Amino acid sequence: MTRSDAPHDPAASSAARRNRTRFVILGLLTQAPGSAYALRQRIAESVGHFWQESYGQLFPTLARLEAEGLVRGVEHHDGNRRRRDYQITDAGRTALAGWLKELPAPQPERNELLLKVFFASEGDIDALSRRLIDAGLEADAQLDRLRGIEAFLRATYGSDPRLPFWLLTVRYGILGAEALQQWCEEAIRAFEGARPDRSP
Amino acid sequence: MTRSDAPHDPAASSAARRNRTRFVILGLLTQAPGSAYALRQRIAESVGHFWQESYGQLFPTLARLEAEGLVRGVEHHDGNRRRRDYQITDAGRTALAGWLKELPAPQPERNELLLKVFFASEGDIDALSRRLIDAGLEADAQLDRLRGIEAFLRATYGSDPRLPFWLLTVRYGILGAEALQQWCEEAIRAFEGARPDRSP
DNA sequence: TAGCACATGTAATAAGTTACATGATTTT
DNA sequence: AAAATCATGTAACTTATTACATGTGCTA
């Protein structure tokens, strides 16, 4: 008797449990109902600095959530135009709260820049050095964006009890971007040391 | 005439260009040839602290690389046992060097812990607070691991010209883990402030 | 009235993980 | 001789991105 007698249950597997698009949707729907299109905008504007969702994920996930009874879609008409707004159900709130209690799944790290640095000796050091400068500039820009978000949040939601949580997510990005800045500086210096001296 | 007349060319799309498993393989094969099984071990031991590859990716990617002429697989026998070792070709080295010059593809950020913090008000604050403590402890452990790797590399490859590059990848992890430690401390304090005061 | 942004989706495909399958070798 | 480990792979599935398709309403 082989082990293939036991059928594979995809829904119970840990691979399936790593789908978190559903929880972004549920979380945003606790704040206000909205259409798929509106959700996409709201994801970009709220959690966009640390979480992105693509279009092709949103629609199927909403359909699944509705089939499972975690959201309810209501069709209505806006002029000649068909609209579909979603709202969270009690079951949806329960599912969200349950997920919030769980340990976050370990996310496999994958850093392409580090991969290039690791194999730097197999390529053009100067070209890679420029990529490090790019990364440093990008970290600067990200810091600016995050400080802007922080100021906006403080100005707009000054007394909202959720503000401290939202600011923490921004703070994470700021600390990370500062660490990246520092690393880029160190790396650029190290690359200058690593290449053969050739003055003009 | 519709636009679907133009067929979709997957190999030229940017989605296909994001496959970097091939470059990990090529990079490691510049150091020494080896079997799929051995490559898996070497990935875990060398770039494992910032790049993971699963088994199911390695075999099909090796097959594709061979079909494209970037690696060459040589079958041989070790006693009764069939082995297949791979070595990089000149075309493979060229492909690797070309990739090293390119800008790293922007990797979509997705941080599940931040997602939970963002929606913290919809769940149990104390439970989430424990998750933050977990994350802080994990950052401590990661720092220990990385310092161990750093010491090992210095002791083992003291004069290797590639050592500075390898150390930089470790340094990145250390700075990131330190930033994470600091954030966890700040977040835990903020969560204590956010929950209603109840002394025993 | 042509063009563009809004809005709602579907289709095709790539990327990646986990479980399953199998046989040889080493260890107990 | 049984069990664990080494070694090589395949199958099934989920997740995710990108391109395509389609229609409405606004604006120059």
Side-chain angles (χ1 to χ4, degrees):
Chain A
M1 156 160 129
T2 72
R3 292 203 285 189
S4 61
D5 290 300
H8 182 206
D9 177 2
S13 81
S14 56
R17 237 173 283 145
R18 230 169 348 117
N19 176 345
R20 293 142 304 175
T21 299
R22 41 201 303 122
F23 300 112
V24 188
I25 293 173
L26 291 176
L28 286 180
L29 289 182
T30 63
Q31 302 180 351
S35 68
Y37 191 86
L39 278 173
R40 183 175 139 85
Q41 322 252 91
R42 284 164 56 191
I43 288 173
E45 287 162 12
S46 57
V47 295
H49 59 100
F50 64 87
W51 196 277
Q52 286 105 49
E53 285 296 343
S54 75
Y55 229 41
Q57 274 294 86
L58 223 47
F59 285 95
T61 304
L62 274 166
R64 267 187 68 173
L65 287 174
E66 185 167 20
E68 295 172 22
L70 305 186
V71 307
R72 194 169 28 240
V74 280
E75 202 112 346
H76 60 104
H77 289 267
D78 174 11
N80 246 351
R81 207 157 177 159
R82 182 174 51 89
R83 301 292 180 102
R84 192 170 181 81
D85 273 23
Y86 293 91
Q87 52 183 268
I88 192 169
T89 64
D90 286 344
R93 280 178 209 277
T94 305
L96 177 64
W99 168 75
L100 281 169
K101 272 203 257 271
E102 283 170 22
L103 265 174
Q107 40 196 359
E109 258 284 20
R110 292 195 150 188
N111 188 314
E112 184 173 349
L113 183 59
L114 289 193
L115 210 50
K116 297 192 180 199
V117 169
F118 190 89
F119 294 121
S121 59
E122 304 303 321
D124 177 347
I125 298 287
D126 282 342
L128 190 46
S129 198
R130 284 192 289 277
R131 298 291 88 91
L132 291 171
I133 292 168
D134 294 340
L137 293 174
E138 178 50 37
D140 296 343
Q142 176 71 352
L143 259 182
D144 281 348
R145 279 194 294 272
L146 289 170
R147 291 200 218 280
I149 293 173
E150 183 183 356
F152 169 80
L153 287 176
R154 286 192 195 280
T156 313
Y157 301 100
S159 60
D160 194 301
R162 298 165 301 180
L163 177 63
F165 302 125
W166 298 345
L167 286 177
L168 274 175
T169 67
V170 179
R171 178 69 179 148
Y172 180 100
I174 289 175
L175 285 169
E178 285 173 349
L180 180 56
Q181 276 184 327
Q182 189 184 333
W183 180 80
C184 286
E185 283 173 30
E186 293 181 18
I188 290 164
R189 271 202 302 279
F191 267 63
E192 269 162 21
R195 89 180 159 199
D197 203 341
R198 47 167 183 285
S199 24
Chain B
M1 150 160 130
T2 71
R3 292 204 283 187
S4 59
D5 289 303
H8 180 207
D9 177 2
S13 81
S14 56
R17 239 173 281 144
R18 229 170 347 116
N19 175 346
R20 294 142 303 174
T21 298
R22 41 201 304 120
F23 300 112
V24 187
I25 293 173
L26 291 176
L28 286 180
L29 288 183
T30 62
Q31 304 180 350
S35 69
Y37 191 85
L39 278 172
R40 182 175 141 84
Q41 320 254 89
R42 284 164 57 191
I43 288 172
E45 288 163 11
S46 58
V47 295
H49 59 100
F50 64 87
W51 197 278
Q52 286 104 48
E53 285 296 344
S54 75
Y55 229 39
Q57 274 294 86
L58 222 48
F59 286 94
T61 305
L62 273 166
R64 266 186 69 174
L65 287 174
E66 186 167 18
E68 294 171 23
L70 305 186
V71 307
R72 196 170 25 241
V74 281
E75 200 111 350
H76 61 102
H77 287 268
D78 175 12
N80 246 351
R81 207 158 175 161
R82 182 173 49 90
R83 300 293 181 100
R84 192 170 181 79
D85 273 24
Y86 293 91
Q87 51 183 270
I88 192 169
T89 64
D90 286 344
R93 281 178 208 277
T94 306
L96 178 63
W99 168 75
L100 281 169
K101 273 204 257 273
E102 283 172 23
L103 264 174
Q107 41 197 357
E109 254 290 15
R110 293 195 149 186
N111 189 315
E112 185 174 349
L113 182 60
L114 289 192
L115 209 51
K116 296 192 182 202
V117 168
F118 191 89
F119 293 123
S121 59
E122 305 303 322
D124 177 345
I125 298 288
D126 282 342
L128 191 45
S129 197
R130 283 191 290 276
R131 299 290 89 92
L132 292 171
I133 293 169
D134 294 339
L137 293 174
E138 179 50 37
D140 296 343
Q142 176 71 353
L143 259 183
D144 281 348
R145 278 193 294 273
L146 290 169
R147 291 199 218 280
I149 293 173
E150 184 184 354
F152 169 79
L153 286 176
R154 286 191 196 280
T156 313
Y157 301 100
S159 61
D160 194 302
R162 297 165 300 180
L163 178 63
F165 303 126
W166 298 346
L167 286 177
L168 274 175
T169 67
V170 179
R171 178 68 179 150
Y172 180 99
I174 288 176
L175 286 169
E178 285 173 349
L180 180 56
Q181 276 185 328
Q182 189 184 334
W183 180 80
C184 286
E185 282 173 29
E186 292 182 20
I188 290 164
R189 272 203 301 280
F191 266 63
E192 267 163 23
R195 89 182 158 197
D197 203 341
R198 47 169 182 283
S199 26

